[in-house]
């Protein structure tokens, strides 16, 4: 198990969140957790992470580690 430092910017906000997370955490679980504590914009679709280094959307059913995320990577939360 490894800890990753992630840099996350919410799509319509300037603030960047710096978050430590374990590589075994499912993306879906993390999205559910932050949706209760962060002020996310209301959408008609599920939020998702766009991975800037890999130029793709993370699979919510996989862990961060299985999505080829590395510590220090940057994301846009849409």
């Amino acid at each position: 198990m490894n800890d990753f430092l992630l840099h996350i910017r919410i799509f319509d906000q300037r603030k960047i969140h710096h978050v430590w997370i374990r590589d075994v955490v499912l993306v879906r679980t993390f999205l559910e957790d932050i949706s209760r504590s962060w002020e996310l914009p209301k959408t008609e679709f599920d939020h998702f992470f766009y991975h800037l280094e890999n130029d793709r959307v993370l699979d919510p059913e996989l862990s961060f580690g299985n999505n080829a995320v590395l510590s220090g990577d940057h994301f846009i939360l849409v």
Side-chain angles (χ1 to χ4, degrees):
M1 218 175 345
N2 294 313
D3 290 337
F4 292 154
L5 175 61
L6 307 180
H7 307 287
I8 303 168
R9 185 174 69 83
I10 298 173
F11 176 71
D12 65 345
Q13 300 176 10
R14 290 183 180 225
K15 179 180 180 180
I16 295 177
H17 298 269
H18 307 283
V19 178
W20 285 97
I21 193 163
R22 297 203 179 243
D23 62 346
V24 296
V25 173
L26 293 178
V27 172
R28 175 181 35 80
T29 302
F30 182 66
L31 283 168
E32 290 169 357
D33 290 346
I34 63 173
S35 69
R36 289 189 289 272
S37 58
W38 293 8
E39 292 184 29
L40 301 180
K42 301 294 181 207
T43 64
E44 304 224 356
F45 54 85
D46 291 334
H47 289 286
F48 60 88
F49 283 115
Y50 181 76
H51 191 187
L52 293 173
E53 281 78 10
N54 289 340
D55 197 28
R56 66 180 183 86
V57 173
L58 295 186
D59 183 335
E61 300 306 317
L62 296 178
S63 68
F64 282 91
N66 288 337
N67 267 297
V69 171
L70 300 174
S71 188
D73 282 355
H74 296 82
F75 300 88
I76 297 176
L77 176 59
V78 181

